Structures are given as C-alpha cells and as structure tokens.
Amino acid sequence: MGKLSIDQLRERVRGGVVTPDDDADAYDAARKVHNAMIDRRPAAVVHCANAGDVMAAVDFARENDLDLAVRGGGHSVPGFGTCDGGVVADLSGMRGVRVDPARRTARAEGGATWGDFNAATHAFGLATTGGIISTTGIGGLTLGGGIGYLCRGLGLSCDNLVSADVVTADGQLVVASEQEHEDLFWALRGGGGNFGAVTSFEYRLSPVKDIYGGPILYELDSAGTVLRSFRDFIADAPEELGGFPAFQIAPPLPFIPEDRHGEAFILIVSCWAGPPEEGERALRPFHEFAPVVAEHVGPMPYPALNRAFDALVPPGLQHYWKANFVTELSDAAIEAHLVHGPRVPAVNSTVHIYPVNGACHRVAPEATAFAYRDASFATVIAGMWPDPADNEANTAWVRDYYGATAPHSEEGGYINFMAGDDQSRIRANYKGNYDRLVEVKRAYDPDNLFHLNQNIKP
C-alpha cells in the first residue's frame, strides 16, 4: 500500500489495526457505524489508543493517498466515520475525561461520549452544553457547533471550548486556543472535521447538577397552539429554561396511558437548569399552553435527562435527516409542521425544534465558524427506523417535510443534522464565514485529506 505498509502501521501504533484480511467478525464490527444504511469496507481501521496512533493513521492515509475517516461516537448520519477502501482513525477507545473543579474545566479525549463526559463532571456539580442523546460523541457535536438542553444559558458546546489538541494533515499535533493557532481554533468552533483530527477537547464548565424537567405530551389537535405558544414564550424566557417542542410517537412508557402507546403527539421536552425548587413555577407556562395528556416531569440529575431518549436511538437503525435554521418560526412555517409532523413514521423518528437564542445570540456571528447567531430555532427532521424495507417511504417523509418547511426557513442549516446529499448547501451553512473557512482549510489541509465531512474545499 505505497510508502507505508500495513505491517509498518501495526508496528507504529499502540492500538490494533483491523483489515479485510483479518477475522471477518472483527472486521465487520470495526467498520460498523450507528447508521445501518451505511455499509462501507475500509482498507484499515486503526483503533487509536492515543494521539500518536491518530498521527500514525493520518500519516498512513496521506502517504498512501487513501481516503481518511475520523470516527468518534460514530453517530454521523451520512456515515462520515467510515469509508470504502480508505483508513478509519477510530477514536472510540480514547474516552478519558479529567475534571479540574478549581478551574471549572474538563479535558476529554476525542472518542468520549456525552455520557462519559457527564458522568465525570456531574460528580463535581458541573456541566457544559452537550447534546440530546448521551451516546453521541463529544467531538462531532462540538466541531459542528453543539446544540443541547443548556445552550440558551451556557451557549453552544463550541462556545465553551477552551482549547483542542489537533492532528493536522501533515501528521503533526498542535494545540489550538485563543493564544495559539487562533485561526484553527476559530475554524474548529463550528467548522466540522475539515481541519484535523481532534484528540482532546478542553471545556469550560458551569454549575449545573440537578435539573427540573422532562417530557410533557399534548394532543395533536393542540399542536398549533403549543408551537405558537412556545415560540412566543421562549423568546424572552429565563435563560436557565431549555428544552424544545417535538413530534413523537408515544413509546410504551408507564407514565403514558397504555391505550395511547403508538399514537403520535406533540410534546415539549423541558429542562430547567436554575434552582430545582423553582422548577415547578418555571415550567408552569408549559402546562397552560394546552391540556396535558401525560408527563414525566420532576427533579433529576442532568445526566439522566441527557440519556432519557437513548433507548429510542440504538445502533443499527436506518437514518436519513434534514435540517434548517429559522430566524422566525412564522405561522406559515408552523402550518407546514402541522401537515407533516403528525405523520412521523416510526417511534424512533422525530422532529425537534431547538431554541438557539439567549446566550447563543451573545456571540458575534464572525467570532466562531458557527455563523447563524441570529437564528431563533434549529429544526431537525430526524428519520430513524429499524426496517430497511421502509427506506423509500420514510426517506420521502423527511424530504417532503423539508421541502414544505424550507421556503419558511434560512437557506443554511446546522451541519450536524445534514444528510450526505446536502453538500450543495455548504456555503449557505456558513454564510459570511465561508470564505475565511476556505482560507484556514488551505493553511492546514491544502490537499483536502479531511474531506469526509460536510466539506469545505480548499
């Protein structure tokens, strides 16, 4: 395989290297990603144990002119964590998290999940903005921006990034922060995996331990009222209040009436991160929007909410998603949601409308690569289902839904929610920051080694 052989790669790395010539079961396990639609056969999967292994994988791919995929949590819907005939740098074995409670920071390795991160920080009563599913990798979420329950109060995940250790396309490890490699640090905060493989992230933490919240379900015929009421209320609600409206088929959970299991509902997933004793009062408006069918609301550890929906998103589902930002959730946009949201096709599928105001708006659009600082909501139409026989029909639901909401939305969307066929939107996703991102790409990856992503071409 060119300048470096597989045997030489094996000698250089601490972790294992799996190829198609190895045990078939081990190879199939190594190439698997979260989205079961993705079935690719890399030439080598490097199970990285440390930054040196990542450097070796990058060198091997570059010197042999092979595609390079970098995998953290493996949740990339387009399957960017694997490839055909190339090299996968699998960071999933690098999951350590070290908390410095005095400085209120945490350093996490690039393969850590939000479940790993939350478990470490919660012990000290601290947290930062993570995602909605705890099995999601910290790397992909942060590099794309990082929308989650706490973002109205704490900003995006990338807004809480202090520094990053990055293996660049030349195989070197650099530290990116406000003090060194500032241009790279700017680009990492929202620019995706375009600029290198991040082997560790250092985050700023905030005092969040227990929250008050959970899901509140309403009848579908109240959906318009709920969406309009949430839109108006969240515009200037206390920033400690997070959560989002969603369309969801009711799973068989004990707090939902048994005869309603399998029916679609509009719901609000709520998260009050202020003093827990104020939670009931803070969530009272949600109970006044419309009659409540069922709810599971109360005090809980923040990590419990972050993992509450993990069971709906196990590995091995079929995935196809679309996304938009909206500066205003207009009545016309809501009408489009009312047509398509109730048609959610499987219990795993959902539509979330995340508020991204508050602290997210206090960062200038040019201060990080994440450009949509004027957006009020980020919508994701997340098609997820178990049976490949449903792919055509359920993909059509996502596309039709997106087609109906796109005229009422911004041209760009959140790159972490983009599908593999969304590359044509890349300039719109970054608005005025795109040209600067191209400049940084040319400086750190002129040959576009890191191109398996929502790609910014040099």
Side-chain angles (χ1 to χ4, degrees):
M1 291 179 109
K3 294 181 180 178
L4 281 174
S5 70
I6 285 287
D7 287 341
Q8 289 171 317
L9 177 63
R10 284 192 166 114
E11 289 175 2
R12 185 174 163 186
V13 302
R14 177 71 172 172
V17 178
V18 181
T19 74
D21 297 329
D22 295 319
D23 176 79
D25 290 341
Y27 177 68
D28 285 342
R31 68 189 182 89
K32 193 173 293 184
V33 291
H34 212 68
N35 183 358
M37 277 190 188
I38 308 301
D39 184 21
R40 296 184 183 139
R41 301 185 67 83
V45 178
V46 182
H47 291 300
C48 299
N50 51 44
D53 287 3
V54 179
M55 295 163 71
V58 169
D59 286 343
F60 186 81
R62 184 190 65 252
E63 294 182 17
N64 290 285
D65 196 25
L66 296 172
D67 281 347
L68 173 65
V70 180
R71 181 191 305 163
H75 277 229
S76 164
V77 171
F80 292 141
T82 188
C83 57
D84 280 321
V87 180
V88 175
D90 183 355
L91 278 61
S92 63
M94 300 171 56
R95 297 173 65 166
V97 182
R98 187 179 79 248
V99 179
D100 184 337
R103 293 180 58 233
R104 287 188 178 173
T105 61
R107 181 171 292 279
E109 291 184 300
T113 66
W114 285 108
D116 300 326
F117 188 90
N118 292 337
T121 61
H122 182 72
F124 300 94
L126 299 169
T128 200
T129 302
I132 305 300
I133 302 296
S134 77
T135 55
T136 304
I138 65 167
L141 190 96
T142 301
L143 294 174
I147 294 170
Y149 288 110
L150 305 179
C151 68
R152 292 190 68 245
L154 304 183
L156 304 172
S157 302
C158 72
D159 297 335
N160 292 280
L161 190 64
V162 177
S163 69
D165 294 346
V166 189
V167 177
T168 51
D170 59 2
Q172 301 301 303
L173 182 70
V174 303
V175 178
S177 70
E178 294 283 10
Q179 288 75 43
E180 47 190 331
H181 296 285
E182 299 94 328
D183 55 344
L184 177 59
F185 186 58
W186 174 86
L188 292 174
R189 288 174 290 165
N194 275 282
F195 309 98
V198 181
T199 60
S200 75
F201 297 80
E202 182 185 11
Y203 295 93
R204 182 183 307 108
L205 303 176
S206 298
V208 177
K209 187 174 185 181
D210 296 331
I211 62 92
Y212 188 97
I216 304 168
L217 280 67
Y218 313 85
E219 300 286 5
L220 279 177
D221 60 12
S222 298
T225 300
V226 170
L227 289 176
R228 287 187 293 269
S229 299
F230 185 89
R231 172 197 64 193
D232 296 342
F233 171 72
I234 207 69
D236 56 5
E239 291 181 0
E240 298 92 339
L241 187 61
F244 52 89
F247 288 97
Q248 179 77 53
I249 291 174
L253 295 173
F255 72 91
I256 301 172
E258 188 173 356
D259 62 346
R260 307 302 301 274
H261 293 174
E263 292 186 33
F265 291 90
I266 182 78
L267 65 150
I268 291 174
V269 183
S270 57
C271 176
W272 169 255
E277 64 273 14
E278 298 177 11
E280 184 176 354
R281 180 179 57 81
L283 267 56
R284 189 173 301 143
F286 295 160
H287 293 87
E288 296 170 351
F289 288 171
V292 172
V293 176
E295 64 180 320
H296 188 60
V297 169
M300 68 181 80
Y302 167 67
L305 181 62
N306 191 230
R307 63 176 179 261
F309 300 102
D310 288 3
L312 292 176
V313 193
L317 297 178
Q318 311 290 304
H319 288 254
Y320 185 76
W321 298 17
K322 288 288 186 183
N324 274 321
F325 285 119
V326 295
T327 53
E328 179 193 359
L329 187 62
S330 65
D331 288 346
I334 287 173
E335 289 303 315
H337 282 288
L338 297 181
V339 171
H340 295 275
R343 300 175 185 171
V344 60
V347 69
N348 317 93
S349 296
T350 191
V351 180
H352 292 175
I353 306 174
Y354 299 111
V356 286
N357 58 346
C360 303
H361 282 188
R362 289 197 292 276
V363 178
E366 68 278 3
T368 66
F370 188 94
Y372 275 90
R373 299 294 182 167
D374 58 342
S376 297
F377 295 94
T379 299
V380 59
I381 306 160
M384 301 176 284
W385 57 92
D387 190 348
D390 296 327
N391 285 6
E392 184 176 354
N394 293 353
T395 298
W397 171 74
V398 176
R399 287 178 171 154
D400 291 346
Y401 201 144
Y402 169 75
T405 55
H408 312 292
S409 307
E410 298 301 306
E411 188 179 358
Y414 180 41
I415 63 165
N416 285 346
F417 295 157
M418 290 287 166
D421 55 10
D422 277 321
Q423 181 60 37
S424 62
R425 300 176 67 191
I426 192 70
R427 179 178 284 273
N429 294 341
Y430 289 109
K431 296 203 296 184
N433 289 338
Y434 182 77
D435 290 339
R436 183 179 172 188
L437 284 163
V438 171
E439 292 177 9
V440 179
K441 179 74 169 178
R442 288 172 180 163
Y444 287 91
D445 186 17
D447 297 320
N448 205 13
L449 178 65
F450 296 100
H451 65 272
L452 295 180
N453 42 52
Q454 297 295 340
N455 192 229
I456 298 165
K457 294 182 173 64

